[in-house]
Amino acid sequence: MLTAQNGKKAEHASSYGAEKPFVVLRDTPEEEQGSLFDGTLQNLIKEFGLVHHKFTTPTTEFDQRLYGSTDGVLEISKSGTIMHVNDAVRNILAYEPGELVRKNLFPIILPEYHGAFKIRIKKGMESIIYQRLISESKILFRAYSKLKRVFSLEAYFFPLYRSGEMVFLLIMRRITQDDALVRELKENAHNYDALSETISEVILRLDEHFTVIFVNSAIKRVFGYSREEILGKHFKTLFPGTVFDRYKDEFSKYFFIDLDHRHKSGLRRSIETLGKSKNRGITPIEISFGNSRNYEGRSVTCIIRDISQRKNTERKLRHLAFHDKLTGLGNRDLFNSDMGMIFKSNEQKEKNAALFFLDLDGFKQVNDTFGHDFGDKLLIHTAKRIRGSLRETDAIYRFGGDEFVILINNITKTSEAALIAQNVLNEIQRPYYLESMGTTTVVTIGVSIGIAMIPENGNSISEIVKNADLAMYSAKTSGKNRFVFYHTHLNSAAQERWDIEQGLKNAITHEELQMYYQPIVTPDGTVKGFEALIRWFHPVRGLISPAKFIPIAEESGIIKTLGVWIMENSCRDLHTINESGYGNLYVSFNLSAVQFNQTDLAERIANVIQRTEARTENLRLEITETSIVKMPERVVNVITSLKRQYPKIKFVLDDFGTGYSSLSYLSRMPIDSLKIDISFVRKLFEPMNLKVVTAIMNLANSLQLNIVAEGVEGTKERDFFKEKGCNALQGFLFAKPMPFSDIMDRLRSGALKS
Ligand code: C2E
Ligand code: MG
Ligand code: MG
């Protein structure tokens, strides 16, 4: 039995209206009043028809029943001032009821629950404003007892309307002993444990001193420790050497900065580092941190993933991306990245290097003669030989084809570089014994090496590369199978050659090429056909003669793509000419000797013919005499194969008289015409030339070959050929090579007679 402050029995409802805070005294024993939990409060509210958002004021009887409860009952104002308290509060918080009245509720409640209370109060206010019912759900919180002990409490929070003011009832009881709740918590914990067991990542909770306070069993799989072994241990147990110390400060921040703010604070979502397992050594791991919690001190949960597999895949992918498949050497991308490091380095020592550009001599022939597989083997062996002649720290790259690049680190003297280059040269020149189709074939090749010294010969990757490349060209042009150092005085021929080769690579896509056509006429000027001659309009150098760039295209292999472009355009133009009412005019295009290296040349030509629908009876192919001398079998094969498919197609032996072809070749060649070389025609009346030309014409006659004379510049020459019965002349006397549109215009206007 409690005694009222004034010594009287309990005051009743009438005094509520006075709005003075007071202590409610009960005159009935607590046991009889019972608890307001488990539906009782709801019933009571219903019984008294209290609807908080409708301004209903509780009756005295209601208050009596309420305050007589064994549960603690508090009535607070909007600001948290305690207005009324029942004496059951004493059993809960150990305060005398009088000690609480007029005090604020908030200091009694642990700070982390203040927010929850404030939200309830706000919602209660809104329920009045918006005439909305709010649910009287329970609120769980922790509060200090008078002796500063912390208790867990549950409470109903119920807004009421009393004398024109919004107030809040707080009906609370301790839950420390509540079995059901404990059961629920245990179940949650159990579910959490069960869930964490299904995950292959390590889940680990740390307290602020980095002591492991929870860990799932994945710790065994990833780190080889059992849960028991790691619980209570320091987090650093899972890291090698100094790794933990390096990250300690960063890790600490995760205890205080929540996920939402980490990005702004420069904290990473996850950290990739190295972990140390109990017996498997060091593994790459990824750690990500959850939000920290304040439960019996601050703690943070982190998830640790074993990323060794991912790292392996990454490594493999990186290797694929940066290495040449065939030889395993670095590729151009790796080279650029390595060179980037040299130029970025601040260490003078690291900036001293030498760059070797290598281009094999004679590789194309080997490839063409013995096939690609054989060529590949040769490249693999060459890569090994280069590797074998260098130090471990030197890097080798393959830029595709037969181009290799060597980067020698820490070198300042050209004499040292020369020594290394000579070694590489010697190695590559040794004969190769390679298996091919069950037999061993011996081949020898050479190499041209261009050397640029870093930093003397360039301040950027592109400059150094260009200069090494230039030096390599110089090695090629000065006789191959040697090394040449870059020098500012390197012959301008090399520089020009370099420019041309680089430019040629893009000439097709940049649309700098055009086919010109030079009429071939009878002595009286009637057009019989045209020779297709390529023109290159270089954006800087202007018109470049094919006599200059075709040999470079041949040496660099670009002639293969260029050749297709030439055939394609010539055949398409022939088709147009023939379809425009000039069905009897022919076009002849030139084939380079190097094109015969392609084993599928006949097929390629046939493809072009089909694609362009060129009339083969009007198509002529010019083959130089040198091609025939170099590889007669190939030439014969191409000609016979094409003639089998297209019997009317014709072949012209170009530049005749310059290639020293023997009569025996000539009689075996299924060709149709001979083209007398320009050098004899232009100075026709020099006695020697006259003899040669006459002999050629007699020869053609006896072999039943037609003759074309090119380079006819004067009427005297024209008359000579006319008299000798030569019916096809080509030269500036009649017309110069001109664009296709000009040809068509002249044919239509009659300027060209057909
Ligand atoms: P070619 O096949 O012997 O072509 C004849 C060359 O003589 C052409 O030079 C032509 O313009 C030139 N010519 C014709 N009549 C006269 C004349 O009366 N006086 C003088 N001074 N020259 C005359 P162009 O077009 O400069 O071609 C040079 C060489 O480049 C060609 O010799 C050929 O070997 C090569 N070439 C040109 N176009 C192609 C092509 O499309 N493919 C291949 N593979 N080689 C080509
Ligand atoms: Mg020609
Ligand atoms: Mg010619």
Side-chain angles (χ1 to χ4, degrees):
M1 198 56 168
L2 289 171
T3 323
Q5 284 152 314
N6 56 9
K8 294 268 160 63
K9 278 203 163 190
E11 288 175 53
H12 289 308
S14 55
S15 28
Y16 284 109
E19 278 238 80
K20 271 192 241 122
F22 64 55
V23 179
V24 179
L25 298 175
R26 285 176 306 186
D27 48 9
T28 30
E30 339 177 330
E31 300 75 31
E32 288 163 37
Q33 299 293 323
S35 169
L36 285 169
F37 279 81
D38 306 322
T40 319
L41 177 69
Q42 284 79 355
N43 286 339
L44 192 67
I45 290 167
K46 225 189 264 166
E47 199 183 316
F48 284 87
L50 281 180
V51 183
H52 65 78
H53 70 282
K54 290 248 170 82
F55 303 98
T56 45
T57 303
T59 61
T60 316
E61 202 189 341
F62 173 81
D63 280 334
Q64 255 180 339
R65 294 267 287 278
L66 190 70
Y67 281 86
S69 165
T70 49
D71 301 315
V73 179
L74 288 166
E75 194 172 305
I76 60 168
S77 72
K78 285 182 294 197
S79 58
T81 309
I82 301 168
M83 315 286 288
H84 309 308
V85 191
N86 78 347
D87 58 357
V89 166
R90 178 197 286 134
N91 298 339
I92 297 168
L93 295 171
Y95 281 101
E96 284 304 321
E99 291 176 299
L100 289 175
V101 176
R102 285 187 226 272
K103 299 272 161 52
N104 198 293
L105 174 71
F106 283 102
I108 301 175
I109 298 167
L110 264 64
E112 55 259 45
Y113 300 99
H114 288 188
F117 270 85
K118 284 176 183 159
I119 286 170
R120 294 294 169 116
I121 292 172
K122 191 168 161 255
K123 283 225 171 112
M125 312 277 292
E126 285 171 359
S127 75
I128 295 285
I129 297 165
Y130 301 115
Q131 296 280 291
R132 204 169 47 203
L133 259 177
I134 56 160
S135 63
E136 299 85 21
S137 61
K138 270 186 262 181
I139 178 166
L140 296 174
F141 66 104
R142 306 210 299 155
Y144 299 108
S145 71
K146 187 177 174 183
L147 300 168
K148 290 287 166 218
R149 277 191 61 192
V150 173
F151 288 103
S152 296
L153 302 169
E154 64 177 330
Y156 282 116
F157 199 86
F158 188 73
L160 266 187
Y161 213 71
R162 227 192 254 289
S163 314
E165 278 293 335
M166 185 95 206
V167 292
F168 300 90
L169 281 179
L170 206 61
I171 296 128
M172 60 191 185
R173 66 175 176 183
R174 281 200 200 162
I175 52 169
T176 341
Q177 303 303 318
D178 194 316
D179 286 345
L181 211 82
V182 170
R183 223 180 304 126
E184 198 181 314
L185 282 174
K186 268 190 186 155
E187 208 164 291
N188 273 345
H190 182 75
N191 285 345
Y192 180 76
D193 283 359
L195 190 68
S196 70
E197 287 313 302
T198 63
I199 286 172
S200 60
E201 285 93 1
V202 173
I203 298 179
L204 189 138
R205 194 155 54 243
L206 302 167
D207 71 9
E208 247 177 302
H209 311 289
F210 288 107
T211 309
V212 179
I213 56 177
F214 170 86
V215 67
N216 67 347
S217 60
I219 188 83
K220 182 87 188 171
R221 218 167 19 251
V222 178
F223 288 97
Y225 292 105
S226 68
R227 298 173 76 165
E228 294 68 34
E229 277 177 300
I230 223 64
L231 273 171
K233 293 276 160 54
H234 195 279
F235 193 35
K236 72 177 172 199
T237 319
L238 303 177
F239 298 90
T242 57
V243 170
F244 177 81
D245 296 332
R246 232 184 301 140
Y247 286 101
K248 191 176 174 195
D249 287 347
E250 191 175 350
F251 287 166
S252 301
K253 289 187 185 150
Y254 289 93
F255 283 91
F256 299 100
I257 304 172
D258 277 348
L259 281 167
D260 294 347
H261 300 103
R262 284 185 188 159
H263 185 68
K264 260 188 274 156
S265 320
L267 282 183
R268 289 177 279 178
R269 201 173 276 274
S270 58
I271 297 169
E272 275 184 25
T273 179
L274 295 175
K276 191 186 73 189
S277 90
K278 187 176 174 187
N279 32 36
R280 272 191 304 122
I282 290 168
T283 18
I285 55 169
E286 183 190 75
I287 311 175
S288 34
F289 288 88
N291 273 335
S292 72
R293 288 207 303 167
N294 222 339
Y295 176 78
E296 289 166 354
R298 215 165 248 282
S299 70
V300 75
T301 304
C302 66
I303 293 180
I304 305 179
R305 254 170 235 117
D306 177 348
I307 51 169
S308 40
Q309 216 166 353
R310 191 179 90 202
K311 284 280 148 190
N312 269 338
T313 325
E314 274 173 16
R315 207 171 300 129
K316 274 188 205 140
L317 283 176
R318 206 188 121 80
H319 189 88
L320 275 182
F322 284 103
H323 290 82
D324 166 48
K325 250 209 226 125
L326 182 68
T327 58
L329 298 178
N331 62 13
R332 206 182 280 264
D333 289 333
L334 185 63
F335 170 77
N336 282 330
S337 137
D338 290 354
M339 286 293 279
M341 297 229 246
I342 288 188
F343 281 103
K344 261 186 248 140
S345 166
N346 295 321
E347 294 235 359
Q348 193 47 49
K349 202 175 111 192
E350 280 172 22
K351 279 191 165 168
N352 293 326
L355 190 63
F356 288 19
F357 256 57
L358 285 71
D359 192 286
L360 301 184
D361 300 325
F363 174 76
K364 285 192 185 75
Q365 283 86 312
V366 173
N367 211 23
D368 291 331
T369 315
F370 300 103
H372 280 290
D373 290 347
F374 191 89
D376 284 353
K377 275 187 205 157
L378 182 63
L379 290 172
I380 294 169
H381 278 84
T382 307
K384 279 190 192 144
R385 287 190 185 184
I386 300 174
R387 174 82 273 167
S389 55
L390 299 171
R391 294 172 308 178
E392 199 52 46
T393 49
D394 302 330
I396 319 168
Y397 314 84
R398 181 172 166 237
F399 274 20
D402 56 353
E403 286 173 33
F404 296 87
V405 171
I406 302 173
L407 183 59
I408 312 273
N409 300 299
N410 290 333
I411 186 169
T412 43
K413 287 194 199 125
T414 47
S415 57
E416 284 174 51
L419 216 60
I420 298 168
Q422 190 57 55
N423 273 341
V424 173
L425 208 61
N426 293 344
E427 272 303 302
I428 293 179
Q429 280 171 332
R430 282 196 294 115
Y432 288 81
Y433 297 86
L434 298 176
E435 286 292 320
S436 143
M437 304 203 199
T439 53
T440 305
T441 306
V442 189
V443 291
T444 44
I445 53 168
V447 61
S448 300
I449 305 176
I451 305 172
M453 301 299 287
I454 307 173
E456 293 84 352
N457 298 157
N459 290 317
S460 67
I461 301 180
S462 57
E463 196 183 352
I464 262 302
V465 163
K466 183 185 170 172
N467 290 341
D469 211 6
L470 266 178
M472 194 272 288
Y473 276 117
S474 180
K476 284 251 185 237
T477 46
S478 52
K480 301 185 174 172
N481 226 347
R482 65 193 61 207
F483 59 88
V484 169
F485 280 91
Y486 171 77
H487 198 274
T488 36
H489 305 311
L490 258 190
N491 54 40
S492 59
Q495 173 79 46
E496 187 188 62
R497 223 209 92 112
W498 193 87
D499 280 354
I500 288 177
E501 186 176 327
Q502 299 308 312
L504 257 185
K505 287 179 184 162
N506 300 314
I508 293 180
T509 48
H510 291 179
E511 296 182 8
E512 291 163 11
L513 300 173
Q514 203 182 335
M515 288 316 295
Y516 268 44
Y517 295 89
Q518 186 179 25
I520 296 165
V521 300
T522 60
D524 65 5
T526 310
V527 185
K528 295 166 67 91
F530 304 93
E531 178 175 7
L533 296 158
I534 194 167
R535 294 291 176 265
W536 179 16
F537 298 92
H538 190 280
V540 179
R541 290 174 178 263
L543 183 65
I544 302 180
S545 161
K548 185 167 248 163
F549 71 82
I550 291 285
I552 296 175
E554 288 176 340
E555 273 171 45
S556 60
I558 297 172
I559 191 68
K560 287 175 188 166
T561 27
L562 198 61
V564 173
W565 188 92
I566 290 165
M567 290 191 251
E568 188 105 31
N569 281 275
S570 312
C571 287
R572 190 164 296 129
D573 291 345
L574 169 64
H575 180 76
T576 311
I577 293 172
N578 289 165
E579 294 300 303
S580 309
Y582 310 100
N584 58 339
L585 297 186
Y586 67 78
V587 163
S588 68
F589 65 77
N590 295 279
L591 278 171
S592 137
V594 176
Q595 284 177 279
F596 285 93
N597 284 334
Q598 296 168 285
T599 40
D600 58 350
L601 180 64
E603 229 170 279
R604 280 171 192 251
I605 297 172
N607 268 337
V608 172
I609 291 172
Q610 280 155 24
R611 262 207 306 275
T612 56
E613 297 173 36
R615 289 195 207 167
T616 49
E617 71 269 25
N618 287 335
L619 189 59
R620 298 182 179 208
L621 276 60
E622 296 193 11
I623 302 168
T624 57
E625 199 185 2
T626 24
S627 308
I628 292 180
V629 176
K630 267 192 193 160
M631 43 194 132
E633 282 81 21
R634 289 255 174 139
V635 175
V636 172
N637 285 344
V638 171
I639 297 177
T640 43
S641 142
L642 281 171
K643 283 217 165 188
R644 209 176 301 127
Q645 277 186 77
Y646 307 107
K648 291 182 176 167
I649 198 168
K650 293 195 179 59
F651 291 87
V652 181
L653 193 49
D654 201 359
D655 303 344
F656 192 72
T658 57
Y660 310 101
S661 56
S662 72
L663 264 182
S664 70
Y665 279 150
L666 216 53
S667 55
R668 280 198 292 133
M669 282 295 153
I671 47 165
D672 305 279
S673 333
L674 293 181
K675 217 171 188 183
I676 305 171
D677 191 65
I678 198 166
S679 53
F680 304 110
V681 179
R682 281 172 70 194
K683 293 175 185 164
L684 182 63
F685 299 107
E686 282 179 12
M688 190 59 189
N689 288 347
L690 207 55
K691 270 187 197 162
V692 172
V693 170
T694 313
I696 291 174
M697 291 178 63
N698 290 337
L699 179 73
N701 226 346
S702 60
L703 290 173
Q704 292 184 302
L705 300 174
N706 290 313
I707 287 273
V708 182
E710 69 180 346
V712 180
E713 292 183 352
T715 48
K716 272 199 270 172
E717 288 82 0
R718 176 196 63 192
D719 296 342
F720 169 84
F721 285 110
K722 184 178 180 178
E723 193 195 317
K724 292 271 176 186
C726 173
N727 217 18
L729 310 177
Q730 180 183 354
F732 292 174
L733 175 68
F734 305 101
K736 284 194 169 174
M738 57 189 111
F740 181 66
S741 55
D742 285 14
I743 289 289
M744 292 309 290
D745 288 349
R746 286 181 191 216
L747 281 173
R748 291 200 185 101
S749 72
L752 278 179
K753 282 185 291 171
S754 68

